[in-house]
Amino acid sequence: MILSVKDLCIGYNKSLVLEDLNFSVDPGDMLTILGPNGVGKTTLLKCINRILTPSKGAVMVEDADVFRMGAGEIAKRLGYVAQKSEAGRMTAFDAILLGRKPYLRWKVSDYDLKVVDSAIRHMGLDHLALRHIDQMSGGELQKVCIARALVQEPTVILLDEPTSSLDLKNQLEIMRTIKHVVKEHNIAAVMTMHDLNMAFRFTDKFLFLKEGKIFHHGICQELKAGIVKDVYDVEVEIITHNGQLVIIPIGTDSLN
Amino acid sequence: MSHFDDGRIPPEYSSYIGRKVFFLLLLTGLTIFFFVLSISLGAVRIPAIDVIKAVLGQSQDARFQIIVMNIRLPHALAAFIAGAGLAAAGAAMQSILRNPLGSPFTLGISQAGAFGAAFSVMIIGSGVMQSSQVGAVTISNPYLTTIIAFIFCMLASMVIVAIARLRGATPEVMVLSGVALGSLFGAGTMFLQYFADDVQLAAMVFWTFGDVGRAGWSEIRIMGIVVLLAVLFFIYNRWNYNAIDAGDETARGLGVSVERVRMVGMIVASLVTATVVSFLGIIGFVGLICPHIVRRVIGDDHRFLMPASCLTGGVLLLASDTVARLVLSPHVLPVSILTAFLGAPAFLYLLIRRRIK
């Protein structure tokens, strides 16, 4: 087990948003947190990373309690890719070098530069290394953000809707990239998503949130149409195409 | 656990960094050039070699020695220190408030400091007002004046930080808040002026024009120490500012305590502003335009942006002050008039460019 969440309760203004969450993730796992808008997916992700503080419960990374660590120590274990990242006038290399922040002292070491160079090549960003990120496409910028989280050398990478606002080609490319780095480096990824097909195509495990609680948690092959219906109140049919699950909402919505 | 152990240091990146270092060296050279030029030019022209000798205390000409050490050198030092301090404060504010239009002047912090300094001088009696061209206000207790100016700067800063935390507070909203704060403290200064006698009034009006010529050695010493420590502090926080530029959540994910960095950064920027304003008056736009000039050349990376902004601010104010002294010679214009002529069009340009984007 690389990450375990125990009895986590999260609240705003004395009312609980999420309660009694328990789940764990193993090395090499990709877990997707799913659920309707506003259910608390992003809140949960931020809480795992201690960007938000829970009302009670614990988050353990490799048996160390996140809530007893310093901010720098957390950043060395948990990489975080926010839903929205600002693009300033900075090269991709420098933007990724920023991911070494938890390790940096007064001077950037040769090792820091080598890690960034390696990450750039692993992510296929070689040709863009010295391009300013404010001149990049959404997909390229998202790759830079993932590379920045990877050079933190985390054991778990957290991604908040990594494919939102990307076109289909870029969505597939980003998800392939995430899967590749998770498997290659034997780390774990926990991400939030709205696109069920993209989630079940690329990830191993899913976790549905409903009304502040875990509604269902399991491996992707266990998904049943009834679960989707109960969570989203939408009838779906689940078919298998080339060995992959495809979720199709039932009913016709054609213009005619 | 290292995921990436097959990296190398890319030579292209090394040469890219080399170009930035070269730019910093170029700015350092420009600073020395303008320093010598500024001391050299004036009613009495002093050859560059004599300037250097006089600064080193080895001039053969006693007249040159007196002019350089008593008039020109303090003038040039005050201009450089104030310019560097205001530009560093501007660069820090633009980052920590994530607002490209941020600066001590556009956010009303300079005006708050000016009110605080006027309040201290007039009401608490930390200075003597005279109505002469040189030394309109003589600060008898520079520490008290700076402290009172700092308190008012902090008051304005805290209002700005509170507005920045409001959801949807755009850079334009914050600048408008700065206009409101500037008007409020301007009204406060006018209130003081209303009750001032003729001599005090003339002195206060003259004092609202920021001028580097009114600082003596003791003021320069205080300004120098405050600005140096502040710049070192800003440079120490360079990675924190880079992280905040990438977004608050990304910064938190990188282990940055965003709220603390923001609050302490604003306190230090306010202290620099208060120190400069309480000794020299309001000098606008240096803090706004210098970081933008530098950003266009070497980008947003605070490792280079911060020192380069300081040097550019120092050079700009040094050059502006030299022009202000010579353009209507023998009359000496307050440097703030010149920086306003330079800065206001640049400010409009930045506003329009944002709108187009």
Side-chain angles (χ1 to χ4, degrees):
Chain A
M1 229 161 13
I2 202 167
L3 171 78
S4 64
V5 171
K6 296 176 181 172
D7 304 324
L8 202 67
C9 295
I10 307 160
Y12 291 120
N13 302 327
K14 292 180 182 172
S15 64
L16 286 180
V17 177
L18 295 167
E19 54 184 311
D20 292 328
L21 305 186
N22 285 283
F23 62 92
S24 61
V25 183
D26 292 315
D29 271 357
M30 288 177 75
L31 169 74
T32 311
I33 301 167
L34 299 152
N37 283 331
V39 75
K41 300 186 292 293
T42 299
T43 302
L44 171 57
L45 214 57
K46 286 181 182 173
C47 212
I48 293 173
N49 204 27
R50 216 186 66 182
I51 290 174
L52 294 175
T53 310
S55 315
K56 77 175 186 83
V59 174
M60 312 293 284
V61 181
E62 293 177 312
D63 295 328
D65 188 347
V66 165
F67 301 111
R68 291 177 192 271
M69 289 180 200
E73 191 56 34
I74 295 173
K76 288 178 184 174
R77 292 167 183 258
L78 295 167
Y80 180 70
V81 180
Q83 193 174 344
K84 190 168 177 282
S85 185
E86 303 291 330
R89 195 172 165 75
M90 191 180 260
T91 63
F93 195 101
D94 286 328
I96 296 168
L97 181 61
L98 184 59
R100 298 296 297 167
K101 165 90 182 59
Y103 301 91
L104 289 174
R105 294 291 168 260
W106 185 255
K107 196 173 175 292
V108 175
S109 72
D110 286 355
Y111 178 73
D112 295 319
L113 296 175
K114 286 177 183 172
V115 168
V116 172
D117 175 66
S118 175
I120 281 176
R121 284 191 280 119
H122 279 245
M123 297 291 290
L125 289 166
D126 324 34
H127 61 298
L128 299 170
L130 293 184
R131 184 181 290 183
H132 285 125
I133 54 173
D134 59 355
Q135 295 165 355
M136 287 185 169
S137 69
E140 290 165 345
L141 182 61
Q142 188 65 304
K143 277 189 178 179
V144 168
C145 294
I146 294 169
R148 179 164 58 209
L150 284 176
V151 300
Q152 290 173 238
E153 300 188 77
T155 46
V156 181
I157 183 166
L158 309 169
L159 303 107
D160 193 4
E161 296 191 27
T163 56
S164 66
S165 74
L166 295 181
D167 62 36
L168 186 60
K169 183 173 178 249
N170 275 304
Q171 286 182 39
L172 290 167
E173 205 172 318
I174 289 296
M175 290 305 291
R176 282 186 193 122
T177 306
I178 295 168
K179 187 164 188 163
H180 171 73
V181 294
V182 165
K183 303 299 177 194
E184 187 185 4
H185 302 300
N186 203 32
I187 61 175
V190 179
M191 65 188 87
T192 64
M193 283 187 104
H194 276 297
D195 188 334
L196 295 182
N197 281 313
M198 204 57 78
F200 286 94
R201 183 183 176 107
F202 286 98
T203 59
D204 313 295
K205 293 180 176 175
F206 68 91
L207 186 157
F208 275 112
L209 292 175
K210 189 186 177 190
E211 293 168 0
K213 293 185 174 166
I214 294 177
F215 182 75
H216 199 95
H217 176 206
I219 57 170
C220 290
Q221 285 73 17
E222 291 174 359
L223 182 70
K224 299 281 182 288
I227 299 171
V228 180
K229 162 81 172 116
D230 287 341
V231 173
Y232 293 100
D233 197 20
V234 174
E235 296 276 1
V236 297
E237 186 184 345
I238 298 175
I239 59 167
T240 306
H241 177 71
N242 287 345
Q244 285 172 336
L245 296 181
V246 179
I247 300 144
I248 305 163
I250 295 172
T252 52
D253 297 306
S254 69
L255 290 171
N256 302 322
Chain B
M1 177 169 65
S2 179
H3 307 143
F4 305 102
D5 47 13
D6 57 345
R8 62 192 172 91
I9 300 172
E12 317 85 64
Y13 183 71
S14 300
S15 65
Y16 166 77
I17 293 295
R19 287 199 296 275
K20 294 192 178 197
V21 173
F22 175 74
F23 181 70
L24 284 180
L25 291 174
L26 195 71
L27 280 175
T28 309
L30 265 180
T31 303
I32 296 167
F33 171 76
F34 273 103
F35 218 84
V36 174
L37 188 74
S38 169
I39 296 173
S40 170
L41 297 178
V44 176
R45 192 160 285 202
I46 304 172
I49 189 72
D50 287 304
V51 170
I52 296 163
K53 280 182 182 170
V55 170
L56 298 172
Q58 293 172 347
S59 178
Q60 311 291 322
D61 191 325
R63 199 172 53 121
F64 285 170
Q65 188 73 33
I66 291 168
I67 292 172
V68 169
M69 295 309 287
N70 291 356
I71 303 168
R72 304 258 178 96
L73 182 61
H75 213 106
L77 271 176
F80 180 78
I81 293 168
L86 290 173
M93 281 180 181
Q94 284 166 17
S95 171
I96 55 186
L97 297 174
R98 293 181 52 210
N99 184 341
L101 303 174
S103 78
F105 183 69
T106 49
L107 297 177
I109 296 166
S110 293
Q111 293 85 334
F115 169 76
F119 181 83
S120 169
V121 169
M122 265 199 72
I123 308 294
I124 302 175
S126 63
V128 180
M129 297 247 184
Q130 312 160 355
S131 188
S132 65
Q133 258 272 323
V134 180
V137 178
T138 306
I139 310 270
S140 55
N141 190 338
Y143 299 102
L144 183 61
T145 311
T146 304
I147 289 166
I148 303 287
F150 173 63
I151 290 169
F152 281 96
C153 282
M154 278 309 302
L155 201 66
S157 295
M158 292 308 109
V159 174
I160 292 294
V161 169
I163 292 168
R165 291 174 68 165
L166 289 177
R167 199 172 274 271
T170 62
E172 285 83 359
V173 166
M174 287 170 64
V175 170
L176 288 174
S177 311
V179 170
L181 282 174
S183 302
L184 180 69
F185 287 108
T189 308
M190 281 196 285
F191 180 78
L192 291 178
Q193 287 174 347
Y194 186 77
F195 291 102
D197 61 35
D198 290 350
V199 176
Q200 285 178 326
L201 183 63
M204 282 183 78
V205 170
F206 177 72
W207 192 55
T208 52
F209 303 130
D211 184 13
V212 297
R214 60 180 65 130
W217 280 110
S218 66
E219 286 91 353
I220 288 169
R221 207 168 293 131
I222 297 170
M223 276 200 306
I225 292 168
V226 170
V227 168
L228 179 68
L229 292 177
V231 168
L232 288 176
F233 171 82
F234 291 140
I235 291 175
Y236 178 77
N237 277 284
R238 61 204 181 284
W239 287 106
N240 287 334
Y241 299 151
N242 281 348
I244 291 175
D245 274 358
D248 283 8
E249 284 180 10
T250 300
R252 287 190 187 103
L254 290 166
V256 177
S257 174
V258 174
E259 299 307 322
R260 195 178 66 203
V261 169
R262 189 164 275 155
M263 197 55 75
V264 178
M266 283 301 283
I267 289 171
V268 175
S270 296
L271 181 61
V272 172
T273 309
T275 310
V276 172
V277 166
S278 61
F279 293 141
L280 307 180
I282 298 174
I283 299 169
F285 296 111
V286 175
L288 177 76
I289 59 172
C290 290
H292 281 286
I293 293 169
V294 174
R295 278 177 211 277
R296 291 188 78 86
V297 183
I298 58 169
D300 291 340
D301 186 345
H302 285 80
R303 286 181 293 166
F304 303 98
L305 175 66
M306 200 51 87
S309 292
C310 282
L311 290 170
T312 307
V315 167
L316 184 77
L317 207 55
L318 205 53
S320 302
D321 180 59
T322 309
V323 174
R325 282 193 294 115
L326 299 175
V327 70
L328 292 176
S329 183
H331 297 286
V332 177
L333 275 181
V335 72
S336 63
I337 293 176
L338 214 68
T339 58
F341 276 132
L342 287 172
F347 183 53
L348 284 173
Y349 166 74
L350 289 172
L351 272 174
I352 292 164
R353 199 180 65 168
R354 270 188 62 76
R355 189 52 64 194
I356 291 168
K357 273 188 176 178

